[in-house]
Structures are given as structure tokens and as C-alpha cells.
Amino acid sequence: MKYTKLGNSDLNVSRICMGCMGFGDAGSGQHSWTLDEEHSKEIIRQGLDLGVNFYDTAIAYQGGTSEQYVGRALRDLAKREDVVVATKFLPRTQEEIDNGISGQQHVESMIDASLRNLGMDYVDLYIYHMWDWNTPLYEVMDGLNRIVKAGKARYIGISNCYAWQIAKANALAKQEGFAEFVSIQGHYNLIFREEEREMVPYCREENIALTPYSALASGRLSRKPGDGDTKRAQQDQFAKFKYDATAEQDNVIIGRVAELSEKHGVSMTEVSLAWLLTKVTAPVVGATKPHHMEGAVKALDLVLSDDELNYLEEPYVPHPLAGVMAQNRRP
């Protein structure tokens, strides 16, 4: 395993982050294909054995049961100081707004709920899951600063935002003496590269860590089109919403990934992640089978030539925003 600093923090993280959205009670959330606790723990055990020390979950994943599974597994299998745990919080609900719950109160209640789920005293990275247009930015940043000062979170990150949004938030934090975002978790992979317009150069300039999700495009970059008719491929409607409309043009790139995987005698996962690892700090890679983590970690040893990197990038054409970012606009 290789390790690096997470942006402007002192967190030493593995270059592969295990994404834990696939863990949790399948009856408690938006996904029907998630792993039960026993199998989730085995994947986490394997990640630890491979040197993965960075684990990402969220209170939104399967009604909080992902946090519960991750927390119990890590307590059983690792020392708290040896792992970096990230979780995320949701915007205020309409009910909270109607009841006069401030942004600061919301952030505190969210972190307290996550800490209960995880069975931990603190998280290493607390992530603003999606931009809350109905809550003043000052309240969110003040609330996050308060939990950092209280020791409930060591650092803060943000997900699903525009470069101008993180720049605005960190400028406010700097002005007020608040904690600043040290990482961004956006949607970025070989077949969705819109982050390269502004977010990637901004983060490079400010030393903000890029920890993208959907690193393998929900499995599309790990197999040839039509191969591996997995439960997730059949049932993940959110992934279909993100990728099906651009499948024809994306399949050109996926074909080149397959070509290079055959040339190097490695998996498509290794090629796709080897490319992404040249761009980012630590991709968030979901795993629901043992070979998923094995392939992700092996990608660290694959070095693609400049010509090969260009060959993978050349067919890309701009994509419309999809998923959470498609809804990131003032209501």
C-alpha cells in the first residue's frame, strides 16, 4: 500500500479509500443490493489486510446502518488511531427549517447521530454531503467549526459541489477563523471528467485533496459492456440515471480500457484506477466482493505511459452533469 497526506491536513491516508455505500441493511435505504453485516465485515477485514486505512461512509447510506456496520467492524478489527474514518451529513430537512433548527444545531445533531452509529468519539473527516441551498453558508461553516473545536471531527471535507462553492466556503472560513475544507469528494472517473474544468486545477492550486466517488462508474469501467450481469448492474437505478444516456460514447473509452488491460495482463479495474491515481489523492472505491479491493490495490503498481494515458483520454467528449450535481442549483 502507498500512503499520502490528505491535502492540508496531517491525516496519513492510503491511496485507496474503501467506499462503504455498499454496506448496510438492504431494507433500510435506497439500495437493494447492499451487503449484510457479516459480509461487510469480511470486506473491511480484507481492506485492512491489504493496508487500506481510509474508510468512507455516510449517515444517508442505508438509513445509518452502513455507519453501524463500519463502526462495529473497525472496533473489532483495528485500533482507532490506525484508521481514518470519514462520514457525511445531509442538508437540513424542511421539518427542521419549519421548527427553527439552525444550521449550527443541525450540524451538531448530525455528527452526534453519526458518532452514535459508529460507536466512536470522533471522526477524522466530516463531509458536507451536498450543498444546502436553504441554509446560510455561515451557519454551516460555523457549525462545522464548532464540532472541530469540540473534538468531534478532526477535519472537514465537502462533496458534490462546484469549485466556486468550495472557494466561497473556504474564503468565509479564512475570514472568520473557521476550519477550512481539506478535501473534495466529487464525481470523477474516465468516463465522467467534468471535474477537470475547474475543480481539479483549483484543488491543485490550493492543495485540497481530491477523493472522487464513482471511481469505476458503478462497475462500468471494470468490465466489458454486457459482461458480469451483477445484482448491482441490474438494480442500481441511480447509476443507470448517471450513465445510461451516454453509454454509446462511454463504451469507446471502456473498449480502450479493455484493450490496455489485455496488453498489460491486468484487470480493467487496474487500468481505470491507474489512470485516476495520476490525477487524485485517493479514489473512493466501493467493494462488495473480495476481488474488488484486490484489483483496486493492484492499480497502485501499474504505471501507464503518457501515450497510454492520452489514448484513454482522447475519445472523451463533454457530459451533462448527472446525479447529485444535476440538482445542485438554487431552488
Side-chain angles (χ1 to χ4, degrees):
M1 179 54 67
K2 297 176 182 178
Y3 301 87
T4 190
K5 291 294 184 189
L6 187 77
N8 294 309
S9 79
D10 67 358
L11 297 174
N12 199 41
V13 299
S14 51
R15 297 251 7 240
I16 298 295
C17 174
M18 183 181 288
C20 302
M21 187 178 73
F23 306 154
D25 180 359
S28 299
Q30 69 181 118
H31 300 305
S32 58
W33 46 268
T34 54
L35 298 185
D36 62 24
E37 187 160 9
E38 179 185 355
H39 290 95
S40 299
K41 186 174 183 178
E42 285 308 305
I43 298 291
I44 292 170
R45 185 194 305 274
Q46 183 199 27
L48 291 165
D49 289 344
L50 290 167
V52 175
N53 76 339
F54 191 10
Y55 294 83
D56 175 87
T57 183
I59 200 166
Y61 297 163
Q62 304 306 106
T65 58
S66 171
E67 288 182 326
Q68 293 167 18
Y69 288 11
V70 170
R72 285 194 285 264
L74 291 177
R75 291 201 306 277
D76 287 349
L77 301 173
K79 294 179 181 178
R80 179 65 186 88
E81 63 271 20
D82 292 342
V83 290
V84 175
V85 178
T87 194
K88 300 181 279 291
F89 70 99
L90 292 166
R92 280 192 305 169
T93 63
Q94 188 59 52
E95 182 181 5
E96 285 177 305
I97 294 170
D98 292 342
N99 290 333
I101 301 297
S102 69
Q104 292 95 330
Q105 292 169 316
H106 172 72
V107 171
E108 184 173 20
S109 67
M110 284 274 99
I111 187 70
D112 287 347
S114 285
L115 293 177
R116 285 194 299 271
N117 283 339
L118 290 162
M120 294 177 180
D121 296 326
Y122 68 93
V123 293
D124 300 279
L125 184 66
Y126 197 46
I127 301 171
Y128 187 15
H129 204 155
M130 58 196 71
W131 196 261
D132 185 350
W133 286 96
N134 295 311
T135 301
L137 180 59
Y138 182 93
E139 293 187 13
V140 174
M141 300 307 292
D142 184 28
L144 287 168
N145 187 63
R146 292 181 188 208
I147 67 168
V148 170
K149 289 177 70 175
K152 296 179 179 181
R154 293 180 65 190
Y155 295 95
I156 60 170
I158 190 169
S159 182
N160 295 304
C161 71
Y162 292 105
W164 70 261
Q165 290 173 321
I166 185 174
K168 180 178 180 178
N170 274 356
L172 173 63
K174 193 179 296 290
Q175 172 186 307
E176 300 293 334
F178 293 162
E180 297 179 36
F181 292 125
V182 301
S183 66
I184 167 68
Q185 189 178 129
H187 180 194
Y188 186 27
N189 57 51
L190 251 179
I191 59 173
F192 192 90
R193 291 170 45 202
E194 301 311 300
E195 291 287 80
E196 293 177 2
R197 296 171 182 264
E198 295 189 0
M199 187 63 81
V200 171
Y202 170 75
C203 290
R204 187 178 299 123
E205 182 74 15
E206 299 294 325
N207 193 34
I208 293 169
L210 290 155
T211 62
Y213 66 83
S214 206
L216 293 168
S218 302
R220 285 158 179 77
L221 285 163
S222 65
R223 60 180 181 270
K224 294 178 182 177
D227 284 359
D229 198 13
T230 66
K231 187 175 181 181
R232 179 173 185 180
Q234 292 175 325
Q235 299 180 7
D236 193 337
Q237 295 301 319
F238 192 62
K240 291 175 183 291
F241 168 69
K242 286 195 291 186
Y243 296 111
D244 279 6
T246 56
E248 184 176 350
Q249 64 199 50
D250 295 343
N251 283 345
V252 176
I253 297 170
I254 294 169
R256 294 191 179 194
V257 171
E259 186 181 329
L260 289 183
S261 76
E262 292 174 12
K263 173 186 171 183
H264 286 276
V266 299
S267 67
M268 290 176 62
T269 291
E270 289 165 70
V271 173
S272 299
L273 291 180
W275 173 85
L276 189 57
L277 283 159
T278 68
K279 313 286 186 178
V280 308
T281 305
V284 178
V285 182
T288 53
K289 292 184 173 65
H291 72 268
H292 292 164
M293 264 300 107
E294 291 168 0
V297 172
K298 286 179 182 177
L300 292 163
D301 297 322
L302 176 62
V303 178
L304 299 172
S305 69
D306 289 344
D307 285 346
E308 289 172 328
L309 294 170
N310 291 333
Y311 183 63
L312 290 171
E313 293 178 9
E314 185 271 331
Y316 186 78
V317 296
H319 282 44
L321 294 181
V324 177
M325 282 299 291
Q327 285 90 42
N328 186 356
R329 55 185 181 270
R330 188 173 294 283

